[in-house]
Structures are given as structure tokens and as C-alpha cells.
Amino acid sequence: EFVGQLVDGYDFVSDATKSGDGDGRDVDPTDPGDGVGADTSSWHGTHVAGIIAAKSDSLGMTGIAPNAKIQPIRVLGVQGEGSSLDLALAIRWAAGQDLNGFVINGETLSDIPVNKTPAKVINMSMAFQPRAGTNDFAPCPYFVQAAVDYAQGKGVTLVAAAGNGDTAFNPVDNSRGPLSVGSVGYSGDVAFYSNYGVDLVAPGGDQRTAAGAPAGSSGMIYSTSNSGGTTIGEPIYRLEQGTSMAAPVASGIIALMYSLRPNIDVKIVWEALKASVRPFPAGSKCASEANRCGLGTMNAATALEALIAITG
């Protein structure tokens, strides 16, 4: 599914004790698995990548934007742990910034290759944990917000999964700017786990409302994965559900928009999305509960039609 679909990425996980590959930052963004001890690996990034741009052929599945390229960038290590500083650097690098000589939080960077194929869309299927013993999220570190601002200034759209706690949405590090995406199931209504207060929703799977869904899917999302427990095994496909699956649907749709109009910016993307969302089903929670699901459900065909109407 990924042969010919990848461009050079980077591994920004700086803590060698949590990286899963035994070292810190390096040029190999391969997912080594995030499992440790009795916890098996999720292959979360692999599943997300397939949703966006798995190859269009007669095997397996096809991603939302199969002619787009995937740039794998690691930020999270074992058990999904990572740092805000690594995230900030990854966003800047993805957007094309030369980080050599760049100073962040007292660290001067060096020996990081320049990104020859900067991204137009940055998918962030991740969530941040509240402060220990509380439900409060720390304010966004200034260096993360600065990275988001830099990327958007370069015309890059950032997409953030809303999280799966059935609670108020907390964007990635509470930063301003990323498009927040919640999840709907096959019925078109909000998934049981999806956080609320989002910008838009997209299909992310819901096994509790699987009626009418394709046979064998249990109402969830089918994508690429791996058979390995704590190390890389064989390529497989797997069903998953979550806003982490909804976000790459959104990212794939936005990738299609950039493919059609490469020079658009974040503002035009947003205007086209607002003009193209599908209304919620009558009687659904999305339709009846204010601020539950944002403006509507994303749709690839209508998003492209709206983009053409806006840009000519």
C-alpha cells in the first residue's frame, strides 16, 4: 500500500529511552512499534497513513487521496508518549523550515537534513493528557503555538483529532489554528466516544451503531497495520475507530483540494470546507445538540466543487 507513496520523513523523538528504536532524533521515521512489556503495539501511525493515501490498486484498500504522498514524521514513542518540543520541531520541519542553527527552548539544533518535499497538510492524530490528577490541560507552550503559526504562514493546513473522551474538545496542546475533527459513525451521527466543540466531523467508525455498515466492518474503519507485538512483524489490515481515524479522512480530503489548487492557503481551505459540509441526519445528536459536531460532515466531492467555485 505504501510502495511509491512515501517521501523522506524524519524521526523527531528525542528521548532514546522512549523512542522504541534505541536512539534519539534520526533520519529513519519507520514505526518500530509502540508496545512495551505486556502492551502490544498499536501501529497507530500506520493505520492513519493508510486512510490518507494507501495506493489505488486491486489489493486491500485505497486511501482518500491515493495520488498524494505521505511524509512519515515520528513525534510519539513507546506507549504513545512524546514531548511538546518534539512536536513543535516536527511541525516546523514538515512545513519546510531549515532547523539547523535553530534555537528552541535553549537547544541549538544541527545535523537535521532540510525537508526537500514540505507538506501541505499536517495530520495530528494525537491527544494530550491533562495535568496529573486533574481534568485541566496545560496552556499551549509558546514554541508549539509559534510552530503552528509558522506552518500556517507557509500555507499549510494542520488537522487535529478531537480526542475520544466524550468531553469538551482540547486541541493539540490547546494551540490556536489546527482544524479540529470529531468523529461520526456509519449512521452519520456522532460516535459514542467523540469529543465535542469541534470544527467539523468525518467518518471515524462507531461499533455501537454498526447497523447497515459493510459486512465484517463492525462499523469501524479498515486500514493498514502490522502483526508485530513489540517489534515489526508482517503487514496486515485492521479495523479501528476513533477521532484518530476521522482526522486522516479530513486530511485526505484537504490533500485532494491542494492537489487541485496547489497554491491555496488555509483561509481558502476553510471557506471551501464550510461551504461543502453535509447536513446532519434529522433527529441525530449532531443535529439536536448545539456545538456537538461543528458545522457538518466533510465530503470529498462537495469540498472539491466548493473549491472550484471559490477559486474559479
Side-chain angles (χ1 to χ4, degrees):
E1 297 289 8
F2 297 129
V3 174
Q5 301 298 89
L6 306 178
V7 296
D8 291 342
Y10 198 79
D11 178 0
F12 277 96
V13 181
S14 58
D15 187 343
T17 66
K18 297 180 179 180
S19 65
D21 58 5
D23 57 22
R25 299 182 189 127
D26 60 52
V27 297
D28 183 5
T30 302
D31 184 352
D34 57 4
V36 61
D39 295 330
T40 58
S41 295
S42 67
W43 307 107
H44 184 272
T46 305
H47 197 274
V48 167
I51 295 170
I52 296 172
K55 185 186 295 185
S56 178
D57 55 22
S58 61
L59 299 176
M61 59 172 292
T62 299
I64 302 294
N67 289 331
K69 300 298 182 184
I70 300 165
Q71 183 165 74
I73 302 175
R74 291 193 72 215
V75 171
L76 306 182
V78 294
Q79 297 181 311
E81 295 183 10
S83 77
S84 298
L85 189 146
D86 291 345
L87 172 63
L89 294 177
I91 291 172
R92 287 182 176 274
W93 189 85
Q97 183 173 355
D98 183 353
L99 294 178
N100 292 292
F102 183 70
V103 179
I104 183 169
N105 204 33
E107 178 185 4
T108 302
L109 303 179
S110 62
D111 300 323
I112 297 177
V114 175
N115 186 353
K116 297 178 181 179
T117 53
K120 287 292 188 179
V121 188
I122 298 175
N123 184 86
M124 298 181 290
S125 288
M126 61 180 71
F128 278 75
Q129 299 301 315
R131 293 184 176 100
T134 76
N135 290 319
D136 297 327
F137 287 78
C140 174
Y142 72 91
F143 46 81
V144 173
Q145 187 62 61
V148 170
D149 294 342
Y150 174 86
Q152 290 191 316
K154 293 293 184 179
V156 179
T157 297
L158 293 88
V159 178
N164 305 325
D166 187 27
T167 187
F169 168 65
N170 283 283
V172 174
D173 249 349
N174 293 322
S175 55
R176 302 181 305 276
L179 180 76
S180 59
V181 182
S183 179
V184 293
Y186 191 79
S187 69
D189 201 0
V190 63
F192 71 91
Y193 52 80
S194 182
N195 285 354
Y196 47 86
V198 301
D199 293 319
L200 302 165
V201 290
D206 186 346
Q207 62 183 352
R208 296 188 183 179
T209 56
S217 72
S218 300
M220 297 190 286
I221 303 296
Y222 181 78
S223 188
T224 43
S225 189
N226 195 277
S227 66
T230 55
T231 58
I232 296 174
E234 296 298 319
I236 61 171
Y237 298 93
R238 178 174 290 158
L239 293 165
E240 299 284 356
Q241 63 186 354
T243 58
S244 281
M245 285 67 246
V249 171
S251 293
I253 292 172
I254 297 168
L256 291 174
M257 296 168 70
Y258 277 103
S259 297
L260 189 64
R261 295 288 188 270
N263 296 320
I264 59 176
D265 59 16
V266 178
K267 181 179 179 181
I268 293 176
V269 168
W270 178 234
E271 290 300 318
L273 291 178
K274 286 194 297 183
S276 66
V277 291
R278 294 172 55 187
F280 302 122
S284 65
K285 287 184 178 180
C286 282
S288 61
E289 297 182 13
N291 205 37
R292 180 75 187 188
C293 301
L295 297 180
T297 303
M298 295 183 68
N299 179 283
T302 55
L304 296 179
E305 291 169 354
L307 179 64
I308 292 170
I310 291 171
T311 59

